Coordinates of all heavy atoms in Angstrom, one line a residue:
Chain B
L117 N -6.7 -9.7 73.4 CA -6.5 -8.6 72.5 C -5.4 -7.6 72.9 O -5.1 -6.7 72.2 CB -7.9 -7.8 72.4 CG -9.0 -8.6 71.9 CD1 -10.3 -7.7 71.9 CD2 -8.8 -9.0 70.4
D118 N -4.8 -7.9 74.0 CA -3.7 -7.0 74.4 C -2.4 -7.4 73.8 O -1.4 -6.7 73.9 CB -3.6 -7.0 76.0 CG -3.5 -8.4 76.5 OD1 -3.9 -9.4 75.8 OD2 -2.9 -8.6 77.6
K119 N -2.4 -8.6 73.2 CA -1.2 -9.1 72.5 C -0.9 -8.3 71.3 O -1.7 -7.6 70.7 CB -1.3 -10.5 72.2 CG -1.4 -11.4 73.4 CD -1.3 -12.9 73.0 CE -2.4 -13.8 73.6 NZ -2.4 -15.1 73.0
P120 N 0.4 -8.3 70.8 CA 0.7 -7.6 69.6 C 0.0 -8.2 68.4 O -0.5 -9.3 68.4 CB 2.2 -7.8 69.4 CG 2.7 -8.3 70.7 CD 1.6 -8.9 71.5
L121 N 0.0 -7.4 67.3 CA -0.8 -7.8 66.1 C -0.5 -9.2 65.6 O -1.3 -10.0 65.3 CB -0.5 -6.7 65.1 CG -1.4 -6.8 63.8 CD1 -2.8 -6.2 64.2 CD2 -0.8 -5.9 62.7
V122 N 0.8 -9.4 65.5 CA 1.3 -10.7 64.9 C 0.7 -11.9 65.7 O 0.2 -12.8 65.2 CB 2.8 -10.8 64.8 CG1 3.2 -12.1 64.2 CG2 3.3 -9.6 64.1
F123 N 0.8 -11.7 67.0 CA 0.3 -12.8 67.9 C -1.2 -13.0 67.7 O -1.7 -14.1 67.7 CB 0.6 -12.5 69.4 CG 2.0 -12.8 69.7 CD1 3.0 -11.7 69.5 CD2 2.5 -14.0 70.1 CE1 4.3 -11.9 69.8 CE2 3.8 -14.2 70.4 CZ 4.8 -13.2 70.2
R124 N -1.9 -11.8 67.6 CA -3.4 -11.9 67.5 C -3.7 -12.6 66.2 O -4.6 -13.4 66.1 CB -4.0 -10.5 67.5 CG -4.3 -10.1 68.9 CD -4.9 -8.7 69.0 NE -3.9 -7.7 68.7 CZ -4.1 -6.6 68.1 NH1 -5.2 -6.3 67.5 NH2 -3.1 -5.7 67.9
Y125 N -2.9 -12.3 65.1 CA -3.2 -13.0 63.8 C -3.0 -14.5 64.0 O -3.9 -15.3 63.5 CB -2.2 -12.5 62.8 CG -2.2 -13.3 61.5 CD1 -3.3 -13.3 60.6 CD2 -1.2 -14.2 61.2 CE1 -3.3 -14.0 59.5 CE2 -1.2 -15.0 60.1 CZ -2.3 -14.9 59.2 OH -2.3 -15.7 58.1
F126 N -1.9 -14.9 64.6 CA -1.7 -16.4 64.7 C -2.8 -17.0 65.7 O -3.2 -18.2 65.4 CB -0.3 -16.7 65.2 CG 0.7 -16.5 64.0 CD1 1.6 -15.5 64.0 CD2 0.6 -17.4 63.0 CE1 2.4 -15.3 62.9 CE2 1.5 -17.3 61.9 CZ 2.4 -16.2 61.8
D127 N -3.2 -16.3 66.7 CA -4.3 -16.8 67.5 C -5.5 -17.1 66.6 O -6.2 -18.1 66.7 CB -4.7 -15.8 68.6 CG -3.8 -15.9 69.8 OD1 -3.0 -16.9 69.8 OD2 -3.9 -15.1 70.7
W128 N -5.8 -16.1 65.8 CA -7.0 -16.1 65.0 C -6.9 -17.2 63.9 O -7.8 -18.1 63.9 CB -7.2 -14.7 64.3 CG -8.4 -14.7 63.3 CD1 -9.7 -14.7 63.6 CD2 -8.3 -14.5 61.9 NE1 -10.4 -14.5 62.5 CE2 -9.6 -14.4 61.4 CE3 -7.2 -14.4 61.0 CZ2 -9.9 -14.3 60.1 CZ3 -7.5 -14.3 59.7 CH2 -8.8 -14.2 59.2
I129 N -5.9 -17.2 63.2 CA -5.7 -18.2 62.1 C -5.5 -19.6 62.6 O -6.0 -20.6 62.1 CB -4.6 -17.8 61.1 CG1 -4.8 -18.5 59.8 CG2 -3.2 -18.0 61.6 CD1 -5.9 -18.1 58.9
G130 N -4.8 -19.6 63.8 CA -4.6 -20.9 64.5 C -6.0 -21.5 64.9 O -6.2 -22.7 64.7
G131 N -6.8 -20.7 65.5 CA -8.1 -21.2 65.9 C -8.9 -21.7 64.7 O -9.6 -22.8 64.8
I132 N -8.8 -21.0 63.5 CA -9.6 -21.5 62.4 C -9.0 -22.8 61.8 O -9.7 -23.8 61.6 CB -9.5 -20.4 61.3 CG1 -10.2 -19.1 61.7 CG2 -10.1 -20.9 60.0 CD1 -10.0 -18.0 60.8
V133 N -7.7 -22.8 61.7 CA -7.1 -24.0 61.0 C -7.1 -25.2 62.0 O -7.4 -26.3 61.5 CB -5.6 -23.7 60.6 CG1 -5.0 -24.9 60.0 CG2 -5.6 -22.6 59.6
L134 N -6.8 -25.0 63.3 CA -6.7 -26.1 64.2 C -8.0 -26.6 64.7 O -8.3 -27.8 64.9 CB -5.7 -25.8 65.3 CG -4.3 -25.4 64.9 CD1 -3.5 -25.0 66.0 CD2 -3.7 -26.6 64.2
H135 N -8.9 -25.6 65.1 CA -10.1 -26.0 65.7 C -11.4 -25.7 64.9 O -12.5 -25.9 65.4 CB -10.3 -25.4 67.1 CG -9.0 -25.4 67.9 ND1 -8.4 -26.5 68.4 CD2 -8.1 -24.4 68.2 CE1 -7.3 -26.3 69.0 NE2 -7.1 -24.9 68.9
G136 N -11.2 -25.1 63.8 CA -12.4 -24.6 63.0 C -13.2 -23.5 63.8 O -14.4 -23.4 63.7
D137 N -12.4 -22.8 64.6 CA -13.0 -21.8 65.5 C -12.8 -20.4 64.9 O -11.7 -19.9 64.8 CB -12.5 -21.8 66.9 CG -13.0 -20.7 67.8 OD1 -14.0 -20.1 67.4 OD2 -12.4 -20.5 68.8
F138 N -13.8 -19.8 64.4 CA -13.7 -18.5 63.7 C -13.8 -17.3 64.7 O -13.9 -16.2 64.3 CB -14.7 -18.3 62.6 CG -14.4 -19.2 61.4 CD1 -14.8 -20.5 61.3 CD2 -13.6 -18.6 60.4 CE1 -14.5 -21.3 60.2 CE2 -13.3 -19.4 59.2 CZ -13.8 -20.7 59.2

Side-chain angles (χ1 to χ4, degrees):
Chain B
L117 296 176
D118 54 337
K119 293 192 226 168
L121 190 74
V122 182
F123 285 88
R124 273 181 284 144
Y125 168 73
F126 282 109
D127 277 353
W128 176 70
I129 197 72
I132 294 172
V133 176
L134 299 175
H135 317 290
D137 175 16
F138 286 88

